């Protein structure tokens, strides 16, 4: 292990069934400062076993793998190893794959045309608990949000308490890509009032930013993509 990969470096395992892709990603990550590759897995079952063995901070996860696929592996990892974050890196950017991965607990979602710098940022952000979504993925989520009806009964939020009906409405508009100013115009309230709602939403959902709030909206039933 080189000096730049010691100490506080983020440990990552790479899960992909294509050996050339897997080894290439591992080599790429090894060149990035602040990241150390802790292992490689050729399928979802191997990824789950490797997480249990080495406790990495992040898994860079492909979706389409034989046997236990990336979604199932993500679900198992996030359930059994909550300290390990999953970032999906896949060729697929359809609604079903995106929503399936996010509902399974993935914190980030990139497509395989992501740049070296984008992959590195996503890994470091995930280790810090921050959601990173590919711009194209974000666009699909926002499109789905604008097509979806508002939920009649939002699911429960963490210990801080349920979102109020107004907060649920603001969360849906965040997921639809609206800025605070646009939300204020939509709801006929002041921008200051919207900021207050947004701050409360972030606190109740444990979100650090709008990307995490959008992910929360989709994974907790506050907006449901149209079929």
């Amino acid at each position: 292990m080189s000096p730049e990969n010691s100490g506080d470096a983020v440990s990552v395992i790479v899960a992909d069934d294509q050996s050339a892709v897997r080894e290439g990603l591992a080599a790429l990550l090894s060149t990035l400062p602040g990241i150390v590759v802790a292992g490689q897995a050729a399928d979802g079952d191997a990824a789950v076993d490797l997480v249990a063995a080495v406790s990495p901070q992040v898994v860079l996860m492909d979706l389409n793998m034989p046997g236990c696929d990336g979604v199932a592996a993500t679900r198992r990892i996030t359930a059994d190893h909550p300290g390990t974050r999953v970032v999906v890196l896949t060729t697929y950017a359809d609604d079903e794959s995106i929503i399936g991965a996010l509902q399974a607990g993935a914190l980030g979602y990139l497509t395989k045309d992501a740049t070296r710098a984008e992959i590195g940022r996503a890994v470091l952000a995930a280790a810090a608990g921050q959601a990173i979504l590919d711009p194209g993925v974000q666009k699909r989520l926002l499109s789905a949000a604008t097509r979806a009806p508002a939920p009649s009964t939002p699911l429960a939020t963490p210990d801080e308490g349920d979102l109020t009906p107004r907060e649920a409405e603001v969360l849906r508009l965040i997921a639809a890509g609206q800025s605070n100013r646009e939300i204020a115009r939509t709801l006929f309230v002041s921008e200051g009032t919207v900021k207050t709602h947004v701050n409360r939403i972030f606190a109740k959902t444990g979100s650090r930013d709008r990307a995490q709030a959008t992910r929360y909206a989709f994974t907790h039933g506050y907006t449901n993509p149209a079929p």
Side-chain angles (χ1 to χ4, degrees), residues 1-221:
M1 184 183 299
S2 60
E4 66 269 24
N5 284 335
S6 61
D8 296 330
V10 172
S11 58
V12 184
I13 67 171
V14 179
D16 196 299
D17 64 317
Q18 297 184 30
S19 58
V21 174
R22 184 176 66 252
E23 292 166 6
L25 286 170
L28 179 152
L29 289 167
S30 296
T31 68
L32 297 175
I35 296 175
V36 58
V37 177
Q40 301 178 35
D43 57 44
D45 285 322
V48 173
D49 291 342
L50 191 55
V51 167
V54 305
S55 299
Q57 291 165 272
V58 179
V59 178
L60 196 60
M61 180 79 73
D62 188 24
L63 288 186
N64 188 21
M65 295 185 289
C68 176
D69 64 17
V71 171
T74 296
R75 186 176 296 110
R76 291 166 61 187
I77 289 168
T78 55
D80 297 338
H81 307 279
T84 297
R85 312 291 188 175
V86 176
V87 174
V88 168
L89 181 66
T90 183
T91 57
Y92 301 96
D94 57 281
D95 290 358
E96 182 178 358
S97 295
I98 295 167
I99 299 302
L102 295 181
Q103 288 179 335
L107 193 60
Y109 197 112
L110 299 176
T111 56
K112 285 185 176 176
D113 58 359
T115 67
R116 172 178 177 270
E118 288 169 341
I119 294 172
R121 282 196 297 270
V123 167
L124 295 176
Q130 299 171 1
I132 294 292
L133 301 177
D134 178 273
V137 169
Q138 180 79 357
K139 184 177 180 180
R140 291 191 72 94
L141 287 175
L142 299 182
S143 175
T146 59
R147 298 195 307 265
S152 56
T153 308
L155 300 183
T157 55
D159 293 340
E160 290 82 353
D162 294 341
L163 295 184
T164 66
R166 176 63 86 181
E167 289 165 355
E169 189 172 14
V170 170
L171 177 57
R172 181 173 180 271
L173 293 173
I174 290 173
Q178 290 196 13
S179 67
N180 285 357
R181 179 172 296 180
E182 291 169 332
I183 293 172
R185 290 174 179 170
T186 299
L187 300 180
F188 301 101
V189 297
S190 71
E191 194 169 345
T193 297
V194 173
K195 289 180 181 178
T196 298
H197 288 314
V198 170
N199 288 337
R200 288 175 178 169
I201 290 166
F202 283 4
K204 289 183 177 182
T205 63
S207 300
R208 289 183 174 87
D209 51 38
R210 297 174 90 88
Q212 282 195 335
T214 296
R215 177 180 177 274
Y216 187 94
F218 276 86
T219 57
H220 288 75

